Amino acid sequence: LVLQPVDEPSPPEPLPAGLPTRRAPLGLVAGARSGDKGGNANVGVWVRSDDAWRWLAHTLTVDRFRELLPETAGLTVVRHALPNLRALNFVVEGILGEGVAAQARFDPQAKALGEWLRSRHLDIPEVLL
């Protein structure tokens, strides 16, 4: 059995433009969980409402992810959208180097990467807060 590539799902309609926003931590509207596989990290981010999903899907791009987590600069980051779960999964290739056993970094298993992302501030529509 050979797996075939799957097309990226279509994004939801964005929220209307011009909504008032407030600078706040992502964690006020999104949950996250992270971990490792070898030298790579996985970061799953999810929201609870359809409107929050509409915002998240258009806001948390790979470029924004890199901006919020500058330690990912220069690394390959792949985003996977999971619309039925209102979630995004990011794979950060090589952030752990050769893996946990070869690391002396603070978070060698990437367990705290999701919470670090949730602590980062960005402009969030007030209707979601």
Side-chain angles (χ1 to χ4, degrees):
L1 177 68
V2 176
L3 296 177
Q4 298 298 318
V6 177
D7 292 333
E8 184 74 17
S10 299
E13 289 294 317
L15 288 178
L19 292 175
T21 62
R22 184 172 54 161
R23 193 96 176 142
L26 177 61
L28 287 181
V29 296
R33 177 102 184 192
S34 57
D36 64 277
K37 191 66 171 172
N40 300 338
N42 276 285
V43 182
V45 183
W46 65 89
V47 292
R48 294 183 178 188
S49 72
D50 289 338
D51 281 345
W53 169 241
R54 291 168 62 192
W55 173 78
L56 184 72
H58 289 277
T59 301
L60 197 53
T61 62
V62 168
D63 288 340
R64 177 63 59 86
F65 183 89
R66 281 195 179 108
E67 177 185 311
L68 295 172
L69 299 177
E71 60 270 34
T72 64
L75 300 173
T76 299
V77 177
V78 179
R79 182 181 109 149
H80 301 281
L82 306 163
N84 291 340
L85 299 175
R86 297 185 193 117
L88 299 170
N89 186 71
F90 293 88
V91 178
V92 184
E93 297 179 6
I95 194 166
L96 301 174
E98 296 178 27
V100 174
Q103 281 291 319
R105 66 177 257 151
F106 166 71
D107 183 25
Q109 294 180 314
K111 298 289 185 202
L113 201 56
E115 287 304 310
W116 174 233
L117 178 64
R118 291 182 73 235
S119 76
R120 309 299 289 162
H121 286 70
L122 64 165
D123 295 328
I124 300 173
E126 291 180 354
V127 297
L128 301 179
L129 298 173

